[in-house]
Amino acid sequence: MLMIIPFAAFLIGLLLGYLPLRSCYGEVTWAFIASLIGFGAWLLFKELTVPGLDGVMYTLLGLFVVTPSLIATLIGAALAHLRPREMC
């Protein structure tokens, strides 16, 4: 059941990397990437400052939600730039 979370994060990242760039709304993709980087930085801060098992939760959230989503968003953006599209 928990394996659905990384796959859902990957799928959402892939769609938000590909679809807005194909429909000439590239700022949505870049805003999503910026929010993922900000969320990852906040998770890293919380991971380093919180002792005990709570730090493990932040580590797992960063590894299994933020990282796959960011990688998938970059893959989707790369695929959107490879395909020829109509003029915006």
Side-chain angles (χ1 to χ4, degrees):
M1 190 70 180
L2 287 176
M3 289 304 294
I4 294 172
I5 296 169
F7 290 122
F10 189 84
L11 181 65
I12 290 169
L14 194 62
L15 289 175
L16 281 175
Y18 181 75
L19 292 177
L21 283 177
R22 287 289 297 153
S23 58
C24 301
Y25 293 111
E27 59 273 0
V28 173
T29 299
W30 306 124
F32 183 66
I33 290 173
S35 67
L36 281 176
I37 290 172
F39 186 57
W42 179 78
L43 284 175
L44 182 65
F45 170 73
K46 293 297 284 185
E47 175 186 344
L48 294 176
T49 57
V50 173
L53 290 176
D54 292 338
V56 174
M57 182 196 66
Y58 292 119
T59 303
L60 293 176
L61 191 62
L63 285 177
F64 293 114
V65 174
V66 174
T67 306
S69 185
L70 188 60
I71 291 170
T73 305
L74 295 176
I75 290 171
L79 288 175
H81 279 293
L82 288 178
R83 291 193 47 179
R85 61 180 179 220
E86 64 275 353
M87 295 298 294
C88 296

